[in-house]
Amino acid sequence: MNVSMVLAVLYEQFIIKPEHKEQRQVYKQQSIGFVVSRLHSTDSESRIAGLTALSAILSGVIEVGNEIFADEAVLTVAIQMAESFDPSCQAIAAEALTLAASDKTRCEGIMAKGLPALKQLYHSSENQVKVRALVGLCKLGASSGGNVNSKPFADGATLKLEKMCRHFLVKNKKRQNLSKDLLLLIHQLDMLFHDR
């Protein structure tokens, strides 16, 4: 989270001062280059580093993160990592998919291709994976933005997801090792259900 804040402050400085337009472009190019080069690697450690960097960028500078996630290959790699058997790959893939689901265009792509992977991750025995997948499913369920004609899930499924989130929070509120995951969940749910 600290890296995300530093990236956001740095990018804001480039936006505030018009004379830094070139630096903003260099920032974008270097961010995109770093993440894409790691994700195109066949080494799982490089891919984890790439998705971790993408998650930090999505948390701090969503404009650049969405530009990176617009690449179809990035979504494909995230889904491949979500479908792996390695819990660390699953956790970082679920987090990246969840963070990317804040943009309606990305939600449509994730709904079309990544929904089965998120559903599978929700049934994981690893709580760090399960909570991230649950938040992602909730964000996808709320992606219609109140448009009654656009229902990403069947009737009542989004409310069922909300109840699962509440259940998960109540059930696990005394477990210290889930504090980061629960903080992420609480923050995302506050944003997701703020208007209700």
Side-chain angles (χ1 to χ4, degrees), residues 17-76:
K17 299 177 182 174
E19 64 269 14
H20 290 122
K21 186 175 183 176
E22 283 182 29
Q23 285 93 347
R24 186 170 59 230
Q25 286 305 110
V26 169
Y27 178 96
K28 277 185 178 183
Q29 290 171 350
Q30 287 182 346
S31 298
I32 292 168
F34 178 82
V35 171
V36 170
S37 70
R38 298 303 183 275
L39 293 179
H40 284 103
S41 171
T42 56
D43 177 37
S44 65
E45 292 295 320
S46 292
R47 287 181 164 196
I48 289 172
L51 275 186
T52 301
L54 179 56
S55 293
I57 293 168
L58 282 164
S59 294
V61 189
I62 196 156
E63 173 187 334
V64 176
N66 282 335
E67 193 170 324
I68 295 169
F69 219 94
D71 183 356
E72 192 72 25
V74 173
L75 176 60
T76 302

Side-chain angles (χ1 to χ4, degrees), residues 149-186:
N149 294 327
S150 174
K151 295 180 182 179
F153 295 136
D155 286 340
T158 304
L159 290 175
K160 186 176 178 183
L161 285 169
E162 182 182 358
K163 288 178 184 176
M164 283 189 266
C165 289
R166 286 183 188 163
H167 174 73
F168 190 82
L169 284 170
V170 170
K171 177 180 155 192
N172 294 302
K173 71 180 179 181
K174 293 182 181 180
R175 296 172 83 181
Q176 295 298 321
N177 61 343
L178 293 177
S179 61
K180 181 182 175 189
D181 297 330
L182 291 176
L183 287 175
L184 170 72
L185 179 63
I186 291 167

Side-chain angles (χ1 to χ4, degrees), residues 50-118:
L51 275 186
T52 301
L54 179 56
S55 293
I57 293 168
L58 282 164
S59 294
V61 189
I62 196 156
E63 173 187 334
V64 176
N66 282 335
E67 193 170 324
I68 295 169
F69 219 94
D71 183 356
E72 192 72 25
V74 173
L75 176 60
T76 302
V77 169
I79 293 168
Q80 287 172 351
M81 289 180 68
E83 292 172 344
S84 78
F85 294 105
D86 181 6
S88 60
C89 285
Q90 292 175 341
I92 193 60
E95 186 166 349
L97 289 168
T98 296
L99 290 168
S102 61
D103 181 63
K104 186 171 180 156
T105 307
R106 301 300 147 258
C107 282
E108 291 170 0
I110 294 169
M111 285 288 287
K113 297 181 179 174
L115 186 60
L118 279 175

